[in-house]
Amino acid sequence: MSAYRTSLRRAGTVAALTTAGVLAAAGVASAHVTVHPESYAKGATDGVITFRVPNEEDKASTTKVQVYLPTDHPVLGVLVTPQNGWTAKVTTSKLKTPVKTDDGTITDAVSEITWTGGKIGAGQFEDFNVAFGQLPDDTDQLTFKTLQTYSDGDVVRWIEEAAAGADEPENPAPVLKLTAKESEDGDETPAASASTAATATKTTSASSSGSSSDSTARGLGIAGLVVGVLGLAAGAFAVVRSRSPRS
């Protein structure tokens, strides 16, 4: 019994240590800078995206956050929400390709936002809200490379982009997915609706054609049977008539 209890204790200890290791690894893996919500419709207007910055260090605080906005697919009309204890510096850049909008042609867009002056302590996180006027509609995602600076001078670079089919990198950059535009009456885009309607039309036409063919085949079959019956009747009449004089 003593040996049995000892084995149980050892097994319990190993299980506890393994669970703790898994939970710790999960905590580290999930402590990335992320963007919320995870997706928006292409060309969305008048919305807010939030950059969530967790503190990964036990003995240092996050004192500076730099978010870089893409300029090849610019976010238009960027406004920064005031953050208690933090000062935001917004940097704009000239666009290589100006963007035409209903309000005119846009030649400049925000390329960087830097927050300083505040602190994110161990086991804490901070949400930084950014309002936008319009998202681009010519790409499937936006990558926001981010630098996180700690009070001890350490800088974590959240700039790595995941390759297609590969595992998530160690320091992934926050990514906002851009989904297909929604139509006013439903979830499908006009193009998708047109495609669906065309498919339905083709299916209906094929069904009608098939029904017409079936009706024609049935008609020909019935006509053949009628002709056959008439032929048999004529043959029988001829046989009876030929036998009548002999009788």
Side-chain angles (χ1 to χ4, degrees):
M1 289 295 293
S2 178
Y4 177 70
R5 289 176 180 173
T6 301
S7 298
L8 284 178
R9 291 195 190 96
R10 290 176 179 173
T13 301
V14 172
L17 291 175
T18 302
T19 302
V22 170
L23 292 175
V28 172
S30 63
H32 300 333
V33 175
T34 53
V35 61
H36 303 273
E38 296 180 351
S39 65
Y40 258 112
K42 293 181 178 180
T45 57
D46 300 327
V48 175
I49 53 179
T50 300
F51 296 96
R52 177 161 295 175
V53 182
N55 191 87
E56 292 185 314
E57 299 291 339
D58 294 331
K59 299 181 180 179
S61 300
T62 297
T63 57
K64 183 178 181 181
V65 176
Q66 297 166 266
V67 175
Y68 295 88
L69 285 68
T71 54
D72 52 346
H73 303 287
V75 179
L76 305 180
V78 170
L79 296 173
V80 179
T81 302
Q83 197 87 358
N84 289 334
W86 296 87
T87 300
K89 178 184 177 183
V90 178
T91 302
T92 59
S93 299
K94 286 284 185 183
L95 299 177
K96 291 183 179 180
T97 304
V99 179
K100 294 182 179 180
T101 68
D102 294 338
D103 297 325
T105 301
I106 306 298
T107 58
D108 299 84
V110 174
S111 57
E112 179 185 350
I113 304 173
T114 301
W115 287 274
T116 56
K119 289 184 178 181
I120 306 174
Q124 299 177 344
F125 71 89
E126 191 85 32
D127 282 344
F128 297 91
N129 297 323
V130 176
F132 63 83
Q134 183 176 340
L135 295 178
D137 59 3
D138 57 352
T139 184
D140 293 330
Q141 65 179 34
L142 295 175
T143 301
F144 300 95
K145 296 183 178 181
T146 303
L147 302 184
Q148 181 179 8
T149 302
Y150 286 91
S151 56
D152 60 2
D154 187 22
V155 178
V156 180
R157 301 176 182 275
W158 304 102
I159 60 174
E160 298 177 6
E161 299 183 43
D167 294 335
E168 184 181 64
E170 183 177 356
N171 295 317
V175 174
L176 177 67
K177 300 290 184 181
L178 297 182
T179 60
K181 291 182 179 179
E182 295 181 358
S183 65
E184 294 181 358
D185 298 329
D187 295 331
E188 291 182 328
T189 61
S193 299
S195 176
T196 302
T199 302
T201 302
K202 290 180 181 178
T203 303
T204 303
S205 299
S207 176
S208 300
S209 177
S211 298
S212 178
S213 299
D214 290 344
S215 298
T216 302
R218 291 194 197 100
L220 291 175
I222 293 172
L225 288 174
V226 171
V227 172
V229 170
L230 291 176
L232 288 174
F237 177 76
V239 171
V240 171
R241 188 174 182 181
S242 65
R243 289 180 179 178
S244 295
R246 294 178 186 177
S247 299

